Every structure is written in C-alpha cells, then in structure tokens.
Amino acid sequence: MRSRVRIIALVAAILPVVLVSAMPAQTDPAVACARLTDERLPNTTITAAQAITSGSFTAPGSNNPMTNLPPFCRIAGVIEPTTESHILFEVWLPLQNWNGKFAGVGNGGWAGIISFGSLQEQIRRGYASASTNTGHEAAPGANAARFAFEHPEQLIDFAYRAHHETTLKAKALVRAFYGKPPERSYWIGCSSGGYEGLMAAQRFPTDYDAIVAGAPANNWTRLMAGDLDGTLAILKDSASNLPPAALGMLYRAALAACDSADGVTDGVLDDPRRCKFDPAALQCAPNQKPEAWLTPAQVEAARRVYRGLRDPTTGAQLYPGLAAGSEPFWPHRDPANPFPIPISHYKWLVFADPNWDWKTFDFADPPDYQAFLKAESKFAPILNATDPNLREFRQRGGKLLQYHGWSDQLIAAQNSIDYYESVMSFFGGGSDVQSFYRLFMAPGMAHCGGGPGPNSFDMQAALEEWVERGVAPDSIVATRSTNGVVDRLRPLCAYPKVAVYKGKGDTNDAVNFVCRDPKATGGL
C-alpha cells in the first residue's frame, strides 16, 4: 500500500512538469507566434509577430518576394538602449524542423538595412536567425555615415551595441517561443559581417559559441584610410587613371610573371606575396603606342595601390595594399563616383564637414595627416576590432573560422593575415591558437565571392563539424563554376598552409592537391 501511495505521489509531482513541457507542441504555432508581441524585453518594442506559411515573403521596401521559404514566425522590433538609438531588428523562427540552434547574421558596408537574404538562408538550414540594421537607415553614397555625425550614439550602435542587443533579444524570443534556449549560437558574416563577428569574439565572447568571419573590415579606421589612399592614387589626377584596359594589362602581366610559381598555370596566384611583379615592366618607351602600355603616372598609381598606405614620414605600413591578381576588380574607376564607403567616413567622421571634398586631401600634407591621426585616436577605440586577446572566447570553448579571398578588391587580404598573426603572437603561437581559430585564404577569390579562383564553399558546415563533432578543418573544398557548371575544385588550406599540386592527375580536381606549409618545405 505504501509503495502504491509513493507511486501516485511521484506521478502527481511529475505530471505538471510533463504537461508544461508539452504545451508548446499543443499550441497552434501561428497563435504562439502572434503572442510574442506581448513579450516584455528591456528597451524593446515588438512591432510585428506573424506566421509566414505561404512559402513567400516580401521584405519591407522591396518588390521582389523571397520564395520557397519554410514556414516561419517573423518577429520585427526596435531596441532603444539610448535616447538616440533606434535599432531595428528581425528574428525568424522556423515553425517546423527547428534544428535547436540560433544564427546571427552580418551586414555589409555601413549597414543600415536588415540582411533578409541571410535570414532566409539560415531558416532554410533549420536555424532560428536574427538580423539588425545596426541602428540607422541606409543612406546613399557619401552620405552613408551621416547618421554618425547627427547622432554620435548611433556610431556605437553600428560598431557593436546593435548586434549585442539584438543577440540578447533574439535568444530571449527563441526561449519564449520554443520553451528552451538554443543549444548552440553561431555568427555568420562577411565584410562588415566578418568585422561584426570579430567584434563579438572580442567584446562579447559569451554571445556566440562559434563564428564565421569572412573578409573582415575589422581594422575599420585604417581600412578607410587605405581605401581612400587607393582612390587618391588613381582618381585624383586624370593622368593616373587606370581604365579597364589598363587594369587588364596589369592583371595579365602579373599572371605571366607569377602564375607558374606554384606549379600550376591556372590563372590564379596561390600566394600573391611571392609575386615580385613590378608594373614598371609595362611602362611605355618614347616610341611605343601609349594604348598598349602604361604611362609613368599610371605605373606609380598601380605601385601605390599594391604598396598600401604608409606613414609619409617614417614609411611604416599603416594598411596593406591590394594583392597582385586583384586588378580586374579594383573599384577606382570613375572620378565622379569614387568608392563611397571611405569617402563617407572622412566626410562625416574625420572632418565632420558636409562640404568636404575628397580631392583636396593628401596624406603627405602635414595638416591632413594630423587630421587622420586625430580621428584615429578618437574613433579606433569604438570602431576597430583588432584586439588579439581572445582568451575569454577560447576559454569558453569558442571556435572561430576566418576566410579571405586573395583577390579581394575592397579589403586587403593581408589584413586577415595581420590579425591572425597578432593573435598567434598574443598566445605565443603554435597549436594553442589552431585549437580554436583557423584562417583560410582563397586564391583568386574577390570580395566575399566571385573571381577566377574557386570561390564557393560552406564555411558554416565546416564550423558545425568542428563545434558539434570535434572535427577541426585542415582543408575545405572550394568550387568554381562557369555558366552554372562546376569546373574546378581545390582545397582551401588552414593558414599558413597552401594547396600544392601532387604532380599527377587533373589540376581541376581537389584530390590531386595536398596542404603544405611552404616554409617547412622550402617553398613551392
């Protein structure tokens, strides 16, 4: 009798727990989604919570619907941690087949918009996902950074606060909807999104378990200076302009000088740092047709882009130049429409002058260089994500995969190597860093994709394997497609290793390459 009483008491104690845990499954998903408008989160207003079950969704401000979407709960809201802040965000929650994980997604350029394309990719993978406009509305061209001039707190939102706040709110909404927190939290981003990922690892190491940081704009203030210097080198003086024909000449000459050095002549430089190409080889002689050669002014402009920004007094490298092989993609083409991201930075932050003219600037001019130094002192602590101290991120078990295309035309590929090596130096090098942080350089890939080299790969899947199954990636196969048909596969190797041809077999097949450290083997 006593045993029966104990069993009844035990069932009575367990039953409420069972019923409570079963409630989310018994609640209509659309109803549960709509109820999220009642969630009370700090400094947050939920403006919409709707179930999208038609397979199609048209983002606000767009006329192009996204299609073939799985059913999901769309939550939109605004976060206002300061009186100047107005951080728009969206959280998308799968109504079916949630994989138990959460993914934050990054932005591009000066942001100012929700990354709807990335949200749809993540829910197709089964993730709950979130994106933010980083606290301001996008503005065109050189006015992209005007928000920071008008509302200084919004610069902090852009730099790091908006993503941190969005991450906290998104995780709370995940818990409210599914009845449990995400098992894993991933960050996925390239360009500004890569920068945002590194910023999270440095400032908020508990926000994400693992991060994909592609082509990161993490050394923001120096990047703005370096990109402006490239603009000045080519576009300030019409004699220095490099039209597409000239860029094509530079590209072909660089390949002719260096392509075969890696053992395979394939239109791709595996490590452009080994290329000693000098554009002076294309300088025209007095009796040569100028259209087939470069003028002395054009040669010097190209050298300046390759060289990168240097201190005009000491010659010290302030920001690396663009790599050989990136020439077809250089953005310095139209003096009337220069690359706007750095122009906006200098107009609204460095000089805070709506009438500032980029053509009047010269890093070699002492007052201008002092303006650069003053702005560096003011804005680098806010905007830059260059701190090599990833100790807390590592100690909590965090994993970081970074990648960068060698033919990147907007963010110098060497920037990723510089940051990686700063972390190696901080930790004393060796396997300690490789245990949580790996860098992959992609030969022939332009900014976040494209280019003549293999440029399509699933870094997120590699990160999942590392985090969830303990399989650290030594190489990741990348593909190149022509007219929709894959025609080349190559391994991307964990830096400092590079892919070396074995000497036999199809050079377009990844199995015929092996990852080796060029220093350990005496070069390629």
Side-chain angles (χ1 to χ4, degrees):
M1 184 68 181
R2 289 180 181 177
S3 298
R4 183 179 178 187
V5 170
R6 283 198 298 268
I7 292 171
I8 293 173
L10 181 61
V11 170
I14 293 175
L15 186 58
V17 177
V18 173
L19 291 175
V20 169
S21 64
M23 278 298 292
Q26 296 171 350
T27 302
D28 180 84
V31 174
C33 176
R35 287 176 181 170
L36 292 176
T37 57
D38 297 328
E39 285 297 308
R40 296 292 179 260
L41 303 173
N43 306 312
T44 302
T45 302
I46 304 297
T47 57
Q50 57 183 143
I52 308 296
T53 58
S54 64
S56 176
F57 174 71
T58 301
S62 173
N63 294 318
N64 300 314
M66 293 175 279
T67 58
N68 299 317
L69 298 174
F72 68 98
C73 174
R74 176 208 171 215
I75 305 141
V78 59
I79 310 170
E80 296 177 325
T82 77
T83 56
E84 290 188 334
S85 298
H86 192 76
I87 301 166
L88 301 184
F89 72 96
E90 296 233 358
V91 179
W92 289 13
L93 306 173
L95 294 178
Q96 302 170 2
N97 303 317
W98 178 47
N99 64 11
K101 296 179 284 189
F102 166 72
V105 296
N107 305 87
W110 280 105
I113 60 173
I114 300 289
S115 299
F116 287 104
S118 297
L119 286 173
Q120 65 174 318
E121 178 183 350
Q122 292 306 320
I123 63 165
R124 287 194 179 104
R125 288 176 180 259
Y127 279 78
S129 190
S131 175
T132 172
N133 72 345
T134 74
H136 65 278
E137 296 295 321
N143 286 328
R146 184 170 182 167
F147 72 92
F149 170 77
E150 296 174 338
H151 303 287
E153 284 290 337
Q154 291 186 5
L155 184 66
I156 298 173
D157 290 334
F158 164 78
Y160 55 84
R161 186 163 52 204
H163 279 293
H164 176 58
E165 290 286 338
T166 296
T167 298
L168 297 181
K169 275 52 175 182
K171 288 182 179 180
L173 289 166
V174 167
R175 180 190 288 269
F177 186 69
Y178 295 113
K180 63 179 182 178
E183 297 168 4
R184 304 280 186 184
S185 295
Y186 291 82
W187 174 267
I188 311 296
C190 190
S191 192
S192 290
Y195 153 52
E196 292 155 354
L198 293 183
M199 186 70 85
Q202 295 165 26
R203 285 184 179 265
F204 308 105
T206 62
D207 277 4
Y208 290 93
D209 301 299
I211 292 167
V212 171
N218 61 305
N219 198 352
W220 185 273
T221 57
R222 294 294 182 89
L223 167 63
M224 296 299 103
D227 279 358
L228 177 61
D229 189 58
T231 298
L232 294 167
I234 295 177
L235 298 182
K236 185 174 182 178
D237 185 345
S238 60
S240 302
N241 290 177
L242 291 170
L247 294 174
M249 280 191 282
L250 284 166
Y251 175 64
R252 290 189 295 273
L255 290 182
C258 305
D259 188 8
S260 62
D262 55 24
V264 180
T265 302
D266 57 359
V268 171
L269 304 179
D270 275 19
D271 187 345
R273 294 176 300 177
R274 298 189 181 89
C275 185
K276 304 304 179 184
F277 166 68
D278 185 345
L282 295 174
Q283 185 168 316
C284 59
N287 61 341
Q288 291 174 322
K289 295 180 179 181
E291 62 268 19
W293 302 88
L294 301 182
T295 67
Q298 289 175 313
V299 167
E300 182 50 38
R303 280 176 168 169
R304 188 167 158 186
V305 173
Y306 290 132
R307 184 171 60 237
L309 180 62
R310 296 179 182 270
D311 186 302
T313 303
T314 67
Q317 191 84 51
L318 298 177
Y319 194 76
L322 300 182
S326 65
E327 300 86 356
F329 314 110
W330 289 1
H332 322 297
R333 296 173 183 268
D334 183 0
N337 295 287
F339 184 46
I341 292 176
I343 303 294
S344 188
H345 177 88
Y346 272 77
K347 180 176 183 178
W348 294 108
L349 273 69
V350 176
F351 288 99
D353 180 2
N355 299 313
W356 179 74
D357 181 359
W358 65 271
K359 293 182 180 179
T360 65
F361 189 81
D362 187 347
F363 280 102
D365 180 62
D368 283 347
Y369 190 65
Q370 286 302 311
F372 157 74
L373 293 177
K374 182 179 178 181
E376 182 82 359
S377 175
K378 180 178 181 180
F379 295 114
I382 299 171
L383 288 167
N384 291 1
T386 54
D387 186 354
N389 183 0
L390 299 178
R391 184 177 288 118
E392 189 174 346
F393 181 73
R394 182 200 64 173
Q395 288 176 342
R396 69 176 300 268
K399 296 289 186 287
L400 170 60
L401 287 184
Q402 186 172 331
Y403 66 92
H404 210 131
W406 267 120
S407 293
D408 196 317
Q409 73 278 29
L410 302 182
I411 301 174
Q414 182 65 39
N415 175 69
S416 274
I417 294 174
D418 289 346
Y419 179 68
Y420 178 82
E421 291 184 342
S422 76
V423 175
M424 289 286 284
S425 178
F426 178 86
F427 284 97
S431 59
D432 190 39
V433 171
Q434 288 271 315
S435 70
F436 77 97
Y437 176 20
R438 298 194 176 193
L439 168 65
F440 292 81
M441 303 300 292
M445 188 176 84
H447 185 60
C448 292
N455 52 56
S456 180
F457 44 86
D458 195 338
M459 199 64 67
Q460 184 172 348
L463 188 62
E464 290 170 334
E465 284 288 308
W466 195 7
V467 172
E468 298 167 25
R469 298 172 182 83
V471 181
D474 293 318
S475 66
I476 297 171
V477 174
T479 64
R480 185 194 68 179
S481 299
T482 302
N483 298 323
V485 178
V486 173
D487 56 10
R488 180 177 295 173
L489 298 91
R490 287 282 177 83
L492 306 182
C493 303
Y495 183 84
K497 293 182 179 180
V498 296
V500 178
Y501 180 52
K502 295 178 181 178
K504 294 181 180 180
D506 186 357
T507 58
N508 290 319
D509 192 336
V511 300
N512 297 318
F513 290 78
V514 61
C515 291
R516 292 178 183 164
D517 187 335
K519 293 182 180 179
T521 59
L524 300 179

